[in-house]
Amino acid sequence: YQRSVREAVVSTQSTGNWFGFGLTIVDSIDTLHLMGFNDEVREATEFCSELAFMTGSKNANIFEVTIRVLGSFLAMFGLTGDNLFYSKAKELGDLLVDSGAFDTETGIPMSDIDFPTGKAHFPTCNGCSRFSSLSEATTIQLEFNELTRLSNQSLYKEKSDRALASILEQLPTNHLPRIYVDVQTAVSSGMLTLGARGDSYYEYLLKQAIQTKDSRLFEEYLVAMESIKVNLLKSSSDRLTYVAELNPVMQTVDKMDHLVCFLPGTLALGTLYGAPPWHLVLAEDLIRTCMAMYHTASGLAPEIVKFDPRTGLFVTGQDEFSLLRPETVESLFLLWRVTKKSRYRAWSWDIYSSMERSAMHPEHGFSSISRVNGGINYPPIRQDSLESFFLAETAKYIYLTHLPDDVLPLSHYVFNTEAHPFPLRDFHWFKHELDRTHNVNSTQTNNNEV
């Protein structure tokens, strides 16, 4: 199923369809490279050389194309130096920029691109046209920054920077934007969550600061983390720390997506750049909650957990499925690299072992499952599909956790939100500059109202 689009249909080795071209193989090629599957990499490289974007979907999501496809091409060029991957990245970047996606009042991009016509458009659902997701508008910057660096053409970075700047100009007083952003005004609305549609905004504040040496983004990241601690951090009756949500009328919703489990890793990473020590303390508290999600019959985490004031963490039937998401193993990888505590490496292996036991088809590989709490009499029901991010992210982070630190060291690479590694420049200068800036501004940041 190497030529599948979004997912593989595991039992028949056939494919699902999303973008209209081979997303699974493109998204996972750097994982193949890191694992030393040289024959498969050669085959995948040949496939990429023949890839024609104009034959793709009429409704391809620009954010997903950017992080999965553009990100993969950029990473493979950095890892191999093969100009094919740079040329494909440049071709795709030009398509996205020339599509008119960024030609809005605020520069916040439209959500979709019609590849056959090369034109961007808003979603077709009723009432969707004026809004973009927070995470989609603010999780393209690493990729466009890297394309600007490689091409020496500022246009890509300028486009993505304008989108982020518009949102930062309209931040609420607590520095935590909602998940829907009006493309005409950049004002956000809807739920306040670090889960779906909100998560990677916070991840990319830090990672852009690491990539571009922009200490202002680092300071905004610090303010946002302080505000999360004040406004969203909760403790359950079973002594688990979790990040709650706020609904549109500012009422607390005691719910946490598995997606939020990116946060422990992000907090840990930030401490390498001068974030205060409590960030690492919180990271280690939150990862215990994420691991508690895996205390199921299958050993796999559900998509969402909720918290009852009396009984603590629980799972509802509609949230019981697992797509083998990467966020927890991503955080375990970063916590292992930052702290060297052996439990994080052991927990990563426990998760992989559960995947082998509960989510592996005996002949055709891994699969998402429908019920993580299937139990002995009702074993996990495989959904007969595999998301591309399992190969691009989940497998990669587990693998890297068990390798020496000099393989993609954090001092020399930053990972995009799809786990594609981009090389860093002038790391030591940047670390010094952040230390200097943080020392100057620490009192102001600590006293900032949130």
Side-chain angles (χ1 to χ4, degrees):
Y1 44 77
Q2 65 180 29
R3 297 174 184 270
S4 72
V5 179
R6 175 180 183 176
E7 60 186 11
V9 181
V10 176
S11 64
T12 60
Q13 296 183 300
S14 60
T15 66
N17 194 8
W18 194 22
F19 290 173
F21 49 80
L23 180 58
T24 293
I25 193 62
V26 174
D27 205 7
S28 62
I29 188 171
D30 58 349
T31 304
L32 290 170
H33 172 75
L34 289 168
M35 292 183 175
F37 289 103
N38 296 328
D39 292 342
E40 288 80 2
V41 170
R42 281 192 290 270
E43 187 176 358
T45 301
E46 181 181 355
F47 172 77
C48 290
S49 72
E50 299 170 354
L51 197 153
F53 297 117
M54 302 304 285
T55 64
S57 170
K58 294 182 178 181
N59 299 291
N61 181 272
I62 289 173
F63 155 73
E64 298 286 1
V65 169
T66 299
I67 65 170
R68 300 193 195 208
V69 182
L70 180 59
S72 182
F73 289 149
L74 291 168
M76 278 300 287
F77 177 69
L79 292 170
T80 69
D82 187 334
N83 283 322
L84 166 70
F85 294 107
Y86 169 71
S87 65
K88 298 306 288 188
K90 182 73 164 54
E91 179 187 352
L92 179 56
D94 288 341
L95 260 176
L96 296 176
V97 167
D98 294 342
S99 70
F102 296 90
D103 297 340
T104 62
E105 290 87 343
T106 58
I108 295 170
M110 304 177 200
S111 62
D112 295 346
I113 183 172
D114 179 337
F115 273 116
T117 66
K119 300 298 182 183
H121 61 87
F122 289 109
T124 56
C125 60
N126 291 331
C128 293
S129 60
R130 283 184 52 182
F131 294 91
S132 174
S133 294
L134 172 66
S135 59
E136 293 187 3
T138 58
T139 315
I140 57 176
Q141 283 73 20
L142 285 186
E143 297 78 8
F144 278 67
N145 291 344
E146 179 68 356
L147 188 54
T148 278
R149 186 187 70 80
L150 293 174
S151 67
N152 201 30
Q153 295 178 15
S154 62
L155 177 64
Y156 311 107
K157 178 173 168 54
E158 289 170 356
K159 292 288 188 182
S160 64
D161 277 356
R162 185 184 172 216
L164 177 62
S166 294
I167 290 172
L168 293 178
E169 288 171 3
Q170 297 296 330
L171 285 177
T173 56
N174 65 8
H175 288 255
L176 303 177
R178 304 299 180 118
I179 61 171
Y180 294 112
V181 180
D182 190 320
V183 300
Q184 295 180 5
T185 65
V187 174
S188 66
S189 60
M191 294 288 294
L192 172 52
T193 175
L194 269 71
R197 299 182 183 273
D199 49 356
S200 48
Y201 163 73
Y202 304 95
E203 176 190 358
Y204 268 38
L205 280 179
L206 174 63
K207 290 183 175 180
Q208 283 184 83
I210 293 171
Q211 181 193 46
T212 66
K213 318 178 189 70
D214 190 336
S215 58
R216 295 171 300 175
L217 292 177
F218 185 69
E219 293 300 324
E220 183 56 46
Y221 164 76
L222 293 178
V223 172
M225 293 302 105
E226 184 72 32
S227 188
I228 288 167
K229 182 174 72 169
V230 171
N231 293 289
L232 299 179
L233 208 61
K234 307 292 181 185
S235 182
S236 68
S237 59
D238 47 355
R239 298 181 179 179
L240 295 175
T241 301
Y242 65 98
V243 182
E245 301 179 348
L246 294 179
N247 68 16
V249 293
M250 299 295 288
Q251 296 171 325
T252 298
V253 180
D254 293 306
K255 161 184 171 288
M256 181 167 151
D257 296 0
H258 185 275
L259 288 164
V260 182
C261 289
F262 84 92
L263 186 58
T266 298
L267 287 164
L269 180 63
T271 63
L272 299 180
Y273 294 86
W278 69 260
H279 282 216
L280 186 56
V281 175
L282 177 57
E284 296 197 86
D285 285 343
L286 286 172
I287 198 63
R288 291 185 179 276
T289 304
C290 294
M291 289 305 300
M293 295 183 183
Y294 286 80
H295 296 167
T296 62
S298 64
L300 299 177
E303 182 75 356
I304 296 169
V305 297
K306 297 175 181 176
F307 296 88
D308 183 273
R310 295 162 298 183
T311 60
L313 184 152
F314 70 99
V315 183
T316 63
Q318 65 183 7
D319 302 324
E320 202 180 352
F321 63 95
S322 170
L323 302 179
L324 309 183
R325 285 196 182 275
E327 289 78 22
T328 295
V329 294
E330 172 188 1
S331 285
L332 291 171
F333 160 68
L334 289 166
L335 280 162
W336 161 251
R337 286 282 181 94
V338 171
T339 71
K340 309 309 294 183
K341 293 180 179 179
S342 60
R343 63 171 172 263
Y344 299 128
R345 180 177 265 184
W347 290 351
S348 174
W349 186 254
D350 288 344
I351 290 174
Y352 175 72
S353 298
S354 294
M355 290 176 179
E356 275 200 329
R357 184 178 69 251
S358 299
M360 179 178 279
H361 189 281
E363 297 179 6
H364 304 307
F366 293 93
S367 169
S368 303
I369 65 173
S370 298
R371 293 207 308 257
V372 296
N373 278 315
I376 296 175
N377 296 324
Y378 299 93
I381 300 173
R382 298 183 184 93
Q383 291 185 333
D384 209 20
S385 66
L386 181 69
E387 295 278 349
S388 77
F389 57 65
F390 173 80
L391 298 172
E393 300 183 74
T394 308
K396 183 186 290 141
Y397 280 128
I398 293 172
Y399 184 68
L400 287 172
T401 303
H402 298 274
L403 292 183
D405 287 6
D406 60 0
V407 179
L408 298 182
L410 298 182
S411 58
H412 292 74
Y413 289 90
V414 62
F415 292 82
N416 87 335
T417 198
E418 193 74 5
H420 298 306
F422 299 159
L424 294 175
R425 306 299 179 202
D426 301 325
F427 168 80
H428 296 293
W429 178 91
F430 181 35
K431 177 68 165 62
H432 172 75
E433 180 70 10
L434 273 183
D435 285 346
R436 183 189 64 79
T437 305
H438 181 58
N439 289 335
V440 168
N441 294 332
S442 59
T443 302
Q444 177 182 348
T445 301
N446 290 336
N447 294 333
N448 204 353
E449 286 190 11
V450 294

